[in-house]
Amino acid sequence: MPAVVFFEYLVWQYGDGIREYANAWLNIHWFLWRVFSVPLLLRTFFAPFRRTGEHYKRGFDPAAIAQTFLINMITRFVGMVVRAVLVAVALLFQTFALVGGALLLVFFMTAPLVIPISVLTGIVVMIV
Amino acid sequence: MAENQQTPVHLRTASPLIFRAVRFEALLPRLLRRNVLAASFFLFILIGAIYLVLAVAAYTSFESGVIQGFRNIIGGIALVLAGPLWFLIVAEFYFLTTSRSEPLWDASLADGEKTFYCNYGAARRLWRLDAFRKDEVDVAVLYQTFLEDTFTKQLFLRLGVPWSDVGEFLGAKEKRLPISRDLLFQTLVYEAHEARSEVVTAREFALLLFDLDKDFESFLFQYEIRKDTLLGAADWVSTLIQLEQSRLRWWERALLGRMPTFGASLLFGYTYTLDKFAHDVRAGGQGAIIPKGAVHVAELSEIAEILARSAQANVLLVGEPGSGKMAILEQLTRLILEGAAPAPLWQKRLVTMDTMALTATTKQKGDLEALVIKVMNEASIAGNIVLILERFPEFIESAAYLGVNAVTLLEPYLEGTQLQVVALSDKEQFHRTLETNPTITKLFEKVEVKEPEGASTVFILEESAYDLEKRYPVVVSYQALLASTDLADRYITDGAMPEKAIDLLERAITQAVAAGERVVEKRHVERAVEERTHIPVQKASGKEVEQLLKMEGTLHQRIIGQHVAITAIANALRRARSGLHAGKRPIGSFLFLGPTGVGKTETAKALAQIYFGSEDLMVRFDMSEFQGPEGVNKLIGSFDTGEPGALANALRAHPFSLLLFDEFEKSSREVVNLFLQILEEGFFTDARGKRVSARDTIIITTSNAGSNLIWDMVRQGKDPALLQKEVVDAIRQEGIFAPEVLNRFDAVVVYEPLDKEKLQHVARLLLAELAAHLKKQDIELVITDDLIAKVVEIGFDPVMGARPMRRAITDRVEQIIARKLLDGSLQRGQTFQFTPEEVSKL
């Protein structure tokens, strides 16, 4: 039976295994995208921070209009900065996931080689 | 089995891919794999940390040849460990991805073609049976897996079967149980279909053994486990195992999707004031164990649909307290989090507001109005709030006390599109306060929350038990869940399902914990019911059995004669406590007919004392007070005046008691109709629309109807056995009681008039009562035959029965003793006997 199991494992490793790995990797990217709500942040990139802001008052009062305009500009700017930070953090995590995933894929694909090599190298390092 | 054989099953493949996981598991068991993985991981971290310390040291002046050599060794060990560690991680990934359920069978069923999946537990068993290589398999082989199998261990634990007994049963198993492979597959598919599942799991194999092996069935029968109990428990265990296994595949979208998101909160406004009076609804865990569509599915989808509308999307959720209103909203929160709710609800925050706190913090009309407007403005501007108003009718009422019309105040917000509101109300308050208000009926859409049925409640309890087991060091048996559902429904009259069943289960758990027991069984639930309701629900045992078997003798110690009546009562009680009692009806219901003073009321008192433990648990109603059309209102309460009913109150205070209704023939037609329902259904509905149970009562009604006929027949010296039938026939013909009323009683019992001989016994009993009173004052009363004869002589009145005798004792006998006590001629510690002179002067 050990030979059957080993053979089945090898077939899986370079068939279903790669597909499963790719799915898991994609799921993690999907999760990071979703958890930071990146599409929503981008869609509302210039919206005021936390809906703060003022409504324009009735009548023509240039000073009041200018003041409201300024306040709304500031809240929009704050909103944009906070969103930009969050999107940047999200992209950073995506990069980690991408690089880490690719690295692990290499290890995963070469597992039948990497595992014995790691053990042998370790023994050699200890002896030398 | 005949039915199974008619179900054609087509096998999709002769070499299922899921067997890869099974073979891998056989070669490298999961427990070993995970233990080694955990140990290697921690060792690797430790070695890695040491290596890092040494690497840092390499850059310092303390670097020496010894340290460098040591560093190389540590580095080598780390590399040696890294290989197996990576192998174990990949191996776990291999196992988890190959052990997913696989479509294996296609079956033509009555409801069409269906594909059935084989899960890992089932695959292991099929592999063990070698079912894909043999035409005939020996299913007795499955018993060999029992001892090392997680499913089986958990199953017997949940069924409350001691593991030592399972071992003994397996030790005695020798015979083979061969069946054809086709029949095996057909049976598995059939059982899965019967369990309303499309996945064949270890559950189906347990049922297969139950069907095929009479020894296994008999073994389970000892523990009162029938097939439906086995199916329920196996289903629960199977679900729990699958839940644990699915959690290990953490990278799958179903699990990752449950994590909350946080970027979206930037889009919506702050709610500082609202947050002081409100909190976010937590996401319910329901759905992991409860099958989809089993509980409150209609209500949940209706609420989601209303809230997803663009305008006037307000819900009025009406249901009894404890019927699961908040649980539904918790499920909605979970759906929103997972992105499974309708699109307009994504990013919404369900916030529940304590409306009572809102009114409690303000003292004046203006303050409350300002606060409500502020809170509603915040909620509205925030843009993502679904506001839940708890106890909405009470809020309207308490606001009205301050002169605030809360509905008018809320109206502009409820009409708008910025805010959605879910108002909660119980049924009674809804009918009283909300239903009559046209603004509310216009702005809200009503959704009624129905109490879940028995099977759904069991699923809810499975989920509750899962949570409760994390808080208490116990395991809940499946029978405890069934008992909680049945007994809460049967005996707990306050509250609604499922809350009262959950509450009962928690009480049973705390009982088991207090007793130091690890498995919560049916008996713990029964004890919890007894403690809460004082109704005996456990099987009669020990002293109680003796008391029940000797009930006639015990009653005859207080009741003279009346053998027919006593036997009828004793039989009814034995029937009730042996479990033969018809579930819905009262424990016993009797109509006692006979002249006054023959022992009807005394029988009721004696019964209350013997069966319920106290005469105080006999509630007496003089039916002459409940005549006329308002008689029913006096009993069940009045909707108009809000006055509670005497019978409803008595039953709520003492659901396990004896109800005595004197002079029943004086009841109005409406009252008799009420009795027809109580005697048949065991409950009635009071003026507030609440059910009041009378199932755990003994109902005794008395009547003097037919007394003259009884006297005539006694005078003619007729046989007492004939008396019974003729009197009942006579009152039926006279129309005093309608036949449907007489037929509803468990027994209509005719009390015979007491002759002189019986009255002598009664006199002895009454004098013994007096002697017992005097005994408390340390005075011994000697009861002589002369004294008894004199009491009978004074008190004998054929029409009034034994009643004048009690008066005779009070007026004559007690008077003499009282005088002697006062003048000091009779003192504590003395024995008193009436002299013949005193007796003659009585």
Side-chain angles (χ1 to χ4, degrees):
Chain A
M1 193 174 66
V4 174
V5 171
F6 183 68
F7 180 71
E8 280 177 345
Y9 170 76
L10 277 184
V11 171
W12 172 85
Q13 167 95 41
Y14 298 104
D16 286 350
I18 296 172
R19 195 167 45 82
E20 292 283 357
Y21 185 92
N23 276 339
W25 194 8
L26 280 174
N27 285 349
I28 288 163
H29 281 288
W30 169 84
F31 165 70
L32 291 171
W33 207 246
R34 183 182 171 277
V35 90
F36 285 98
S37 313
V38 176
L40 196 66
L41 291 178
L42 293 175
R43 262 205 319 271
T44 59
F45 199 66
F46 297 105
F49 178 68
R50 288 268 185 190
R51 295 202 167 201
T52 46
E54 284 189 2
H55 292 288
Y56 289 97
K57 285 169 188 156
R58 284 183 183 177
F60 183 71
D61 180 354
I65 291 171
Q67 190 186 345
T68 308
F69 179 76
L70 190 67
I71 289 169
N72 288 347
M73 277 297 108
I74 291 169
T75 60
R76 281 178 187 274
F77 179 73
V78 173
M80 189 197 74
V81 170
V82 175
R83 282 181 184 81
V85 170
L86 262 180
V87 171
V89 173
L91 287 175
L92 191 69
F93 273 93
Q94 292 283 11
T95 311
F96 284 147
L98 192 71
V99 174
L103 203 66
L104 279 178
L105 179 65
V106 172
F107 281 119
F108 179 70
M109 296 293 285
T110 55
L113 285 174
V114 165
I115 291 163
I117 288 170
S118 165
V119 174
L120 287 173
T121 314
I123 292 167
V124 169
V125 168
M126 277 196 289
I127 293 167
V128 176
Chain B
M1 282 294 177
E3 203 179 333
N4 312 345
Q5 287 163 353
Q6 290 164 8
T7 312
V9 171
H10 168 68
L11 192 62
R12 285 186 154 208
T13 172
S15 52
L17 290 172
I18 197 169
F19 273 18
R20 291 177 298 182
V22 177
R23 278 190 280 267
F24 183 69
E25 172 72 18
L27 192 67
L28 200 58
R30 204 179 332 176
L31 194 65
L32 175 70
R33 252 174 15 236
R34 285 180 188 163
N35 286 343
V36 175
L37 178 64
S40 316
F41 181 74
F42 284 111
L43 206 57
F44 184 75
I45 295 288
L46 184 71
I47 297 285
I50 295 170
Y51 184 82
L52 276 176
V53 171
L54 293 172
V56 171
Y59 291 100
T60 66
S61 55
F62 300 107
E63 170 81 333
S64 71
V66 176
I67 290 180
Q68 196 177 356
F70 188 56
R71 198 183 67 191
N72 285 347
I73 291 171
I74 292 294
I77 294 172
L79 276 173
V80 169
L81 272 176
L85 186 61
W86 183 238
F87 162 72
L88 288 168
I89 290 170
V90 175
E92 198 59 28
F93 187 58
Y94 172 62
F95 175 78
L96 289 170
T97 55
T98 52
S99 60
R100 285 199 197 97
S101 299
E102 179 182 350
L104 200 55
W105 298 280
D106 291 320
S108 304
L109 300 160
D111 47 349
E113 281 282 327
K114 253 186 173 178
T115 299
F116 286 84
Y117 288 72
C118 174
N119 90 339
Y120 174 71
R124 266 187 72 185
R125 284 160 178 77
L126 288 172
W127 186 73
R128 194 74 190 247
L129 290 172
D130 211 0
F132 285 81
R133 288 199 297 191
K134 293 179 182 169
D135 290 333
E136 188 183 87
V137 293
D138 176 16
V139 292
V141 169
L142 293 171
Y143 288 121
Q144 293 166 17
T145 64
F146 269 29
L147 290 172
E148 77 254 20
D149 187 60
T150 315
F151 170 82
T152 322
K153 279 182 188 165
Q154 284 194 26
L155 177 65
F156 284 114
L157 189 64
R158 295 285 181 196
L159 286 168
V161 180
W163 192 241
S164 55
D165 292 9
V166 178
E168 241 173 68
F169 168 73
L170 294 177
K173 287 302 296 177
E174 281 173 2
K175 70 176 180 190
R176 296 179 74 243
L177 291 165
I179 61 165
S180 76
R181 187 178 66 176
D182 289 343
L183 183 59
L184 170 72
F185 291 160
Q186 282 164 5
T187 310
L188 293 175
V189 165
Y190 170 79
E191 294 291 1
H193 184 60
E194 283 288 291
R196 294 179 185 179
S197 170
E198 288 173 357
V199 186
V200 173
T201 66
R203 170 190 62 200
E204 280 66 33
F205 285 85
L207 297 170
L208 176 83
L209 284 173
F210 189 91
D211 282 342
L212 289 178
D213 188 1
K214 288 285 160 207
D215 293 344
F216 187 49
E217 188 184 341
S218 308
F219 171 67
L220 293 179
F221 184 75
Q222 291 173 49
Y223 303 94
E224 298 179 24
I225 298 166
R226 292 185 296 270
K227 191 175 177 183
D228 53 347
T229 314
L230 178 67
L231 168 64
D235 189 44
W236 185 24
V237 172
S238 183
T239 308
L240 287 173
I241 290 175
Q242 285 184 65
L243 180 69
E244 293 301 324
Q245 283 183 351
S246 67
R247 279 186 182 157
L248 294 172
R249 298 187 194 98
W250 56 267
W251 60 86
E252 293 194 339
R253 283 198 184 195
L255 259 85
L256 292 174
R258 289 187 183 178
M259 298 281 280
T261 61
F262 51 85
S265 59
L266 292 174
L267 270 180
F268 306 106
Y270 286 114
T271 49
Y272 296 115
T273 317
L274 174 66
D275 292 344
K276 284 182 195 164
F277 301 97
H279 62 269
D280 283 37
V281 176
R282 68 181 182 92
Q286 208 181 76
I289 294 174
I290 299 173
K292 272 185 187 152
V295 181
H296 287 146
V297 66
E299 291 93 332
L300 183 58
S301 69
E302 206 176 338
I303 293 167
E305 195 183 301
I306 296 167
L307 292 178
R309 285 182 200 153
S310 58
Q312 285 204 6
N314 306 304
V315 178
L316 182 57
L317 204 52
V318 181
E320 292 300 339
S323 58
K325 295 193 285 292
M326 278 313 289
I328 294 171
L329 297 170
E330 286 172 5
Q331 294 329 303
L332 182 62
T333 307
R334 185 176 63 82
L335 292 182
I336 292 171
L337 266 181
E338 291 175 5
L345 293 178
W346 293 354
Q347 314 302 342
K348 289 279 181 192
R349 239 180 97 198
L350 265 69
V351 176
T352 175
M353 186 161 77
D354 184 356
T355 51
M356 290 297 107
L358 208 65
T359 47
T361 49
T362 49
K363 286 178 183 161
Q364 292 191 344
K365 183 185 173 189
D367 295 343
L368 180 62
E369 284 174 342
L371 186 60
V372 170
I373 289 170
K374 193 173 183 190
V375 164
M376 296 305 281
N377 276 343
E378 268 187 9
S380 191
I381 291 166
N384 65 334
I385 301 288
V386 175
L387 190 64
I388 294 148
L389 300 177
E390 286 184 280
R391 301 164 73 186
F392 186 51
E394 287 91 336
F395 172 58
I396 293 173
E397 279 177 355
S398 55
Y401 279 119
L402 289 174
V404 176
N405 187 335
V407 179
T408 313
L409 212 56
L410 296 174
E411 198 173 348
Y413 302 98
L414 296 169
E415 280 177 336
T417 57
Q418 288 287 303
L419 177 70
Q420 286 114 316
V421 173
V422 179
L424 309 185
S425 169
D426 62 43
K427 282 183 183 172
E428 188 192 342
Q429 291 278 16
F430 168 73
H431 292 305
R432 216 175 59 192
T433 315
L434 306 180
E435 199 176 26
T436 49
N437 189 325
T439 313
I440 289 174
T441 49
K442 186 186 84 181
L443 295 171
F444 286 96
E445 188 146 336
K446 182 186 156 202
V447 175
E448 199 162 326
V449 180
K450 292 187 185 79
E451 285 186 47
E453 288 174 359
S456 304
T457 307
V458 175
F459 285 131
I460 294 170
L461 288 183
E462 286 178 6
E463 192 133 311
S464 302
Y466 183 70
D467 293 333
L468 288 167
E469 283 174 0
K470 289 177 190 163
R471 281 165 44 198
Y472 299 97
V474 290
V475 174
V476 180
S477 73
Y478 186 70
Q479 287 93 326
L481 303 189
L482 293 178
S484 297
T485 307
D486 293 343
L487 299 181
D489 188 38
R490 166 85 175 75
Y491 294 104
I492 314 287
T493 48
D494 299 336
M497 292 290 244
E499 195 178 77
K500 58 186 184 180
I502 296 170
D503 176 60
L504 190 56
L505 181 65
E506 193 162 358
R507 281 167 185 262
I509 289 173
T510 49
Q511 277 214 347
V513 171
E517 291 174 59
R518 282 222 55 225
V519 181
V520 181
E521 294 172 357
K522 185 182 171 186
R523 64 192 162 88
H524 294 111
V525 181
E526 289 173 338
R527 211 178 303 148
V529 173
E530 287 184 358
E531 270 189 13
R532 188 169 164 191
T533 62
H534 306 291
I535 300 171
V537 293
Q538 295 192 74
K539 266 188 184 168
S541 60
K543 207 175 166 185
E544 196 193 352
V545 169
E546 204 182 320
Q547 198 181 45
L548 282 164
L549 292 174
K550 293 177 179 170
M551 180 143 274
E552 284 95 332
T554 319
L555 283 170
H556 274 307
Q557 286 172 10
R558 285 183 63 172
I559 313 298
I560 303 303
Q562 317 302 359
H563 296 280
V564 181
I566 299 295
T567 308
I569 293 161
N571 285 344
L573 294 185
R574 280 192 288 263
R575 214 167 51 233
R577 292 298 285 125
S578 62
L580 296 175
H581 165 238
K584 290 195 305 186
R585 305 180 65 195
I587 297 170
S589 55
F590 307 97
L591 171 60
F592 291 169
L593 296 171
T596 188
V598 292
K600 299 192 293 290
T601 306
E602 189 63 23
T603 308
K605 280 185 187 170
L607 198 54
Q609 176 69 55
I610 294 164
Y611 193 69
F612 299 102
S614 166
E615 282 187 22
D616 294 341
L617 289 172
M618 182 186 90
V619 188
R620 190 173 179 167
F621 296 89
D622 184 347
M623 297 313 282
S624 58
E625 292 173 17
F626 299 95
Q627 297 181 51
E630 72 280 8
V632 170
N633 286 353
K634 284 185 186 170
L635 285 172
I636 69 168
S638 165
F639 182 78
D640 298 329
T641 63
E643 270 181 43
L647 180 58
N649 273 357
L651 281 169
R652 285 213 176 89
H654 301 293
F656 183 55
S657 57
L658 188 146
L659 302 174
L660 176 67
F661 299 93
D662 273 335
E663 298 190 84
F664 189 60
E665 74 280 4
K666 291 183 180 165
S667 308
S668 65
R669 181 74 214 162
E670 291 81 6
V671 171
V672 171
N673 284 340
L674 174 71
F675 268 83
L676 289 178
Q677 192 197 339
I678 294 173
L679 297 179
E680 190 62 31
E681 301 296 332
F683 78 92
F684 63 91
T685 308
D686 73 1
R688 292 184 297 160
K690 302 248 181 195
R691 278 169 68 126
V692 181
S693 172
R695 288 174 184 174
D696 300 293
T697 59
I698 294 176
I699 292 177
I700 294 179
T701 54
T702 69
S703 172
N704 294 337
S707 295
N708 293 338
L709 181 67
I710 294 168
W711 270 113
D712 290 346
M713 289 175 74
V714 169
R715 280 196 202 102
Q716 288 163 23
K718 284 204 174 175
D719 182 4
L722 287 174
L723 188 80
Q724 183 81 19
K725 190 177 175 306
E726 286 192 25
V727 171
V728 174
D729 285 347
I731 61 164
R732 188 174 283 149
Q733 278 164 14
E734 285 172 27
I736 300 169
F737 295 113
E740 66 266 26
V741 178
L742 293 173
N743 289 339
R744 294 271 159 90
F745 287 105
D746 287 341
V748 178
V749 182
V750 176
Y751 273 63
E752 309 156 26
L754 300 173
D755 55 26
K756 262 203 167 172
E757 191 189 336
K758 282 175 185 154
L759 282 173
Q760 277 193 349
H761 288 292
V762 176
R764 187 179 288 278
L765 282 179
L766 294 174
L767 286 167
E769 244 178 64
L770 174 63
H773 276 301
L774 288 170
K775 187 88 181 167
K776 285 179 193 163
Q777 295 182 45
D778 298 320
I779 293 166
E780 194 84 38
L781 173 69
V782 179
I783 301 166
T784 59
D785 289 344
D786 288 349
L787 180 63
I788 292 168
K790 187 67 183 178
V791 169
V792 172
E793 185 193 318
I794 306 165
F796 181 67
D797 181 343
V799 181
M800 298 301 283
R803 207 155 278 162
M805 251 179 353
R806 188 179 286 280
R807 209 172 303 129
I809 290 171
T810 313
D811 293 348
R812 314 271 181 100
V813 180
E814 285 180 13
Q815 277 304 317
I816 291 176
I817 296 171
R819 279 174 193 278
K820 283 182 183 286
L821 282 170
L822 288 172
D823 67 20
S825 56
L826 182 59
Q827 289 182 349
R828 284 184 66 230
Q830 288 185 335
T831 300
F832 174 68
Q833 183 177 342
F834 281 91
T835 60
E837 292 78 35
E838 285 171 331
V839 170
S840 62
K841 282 180 190 166
L842 277 174

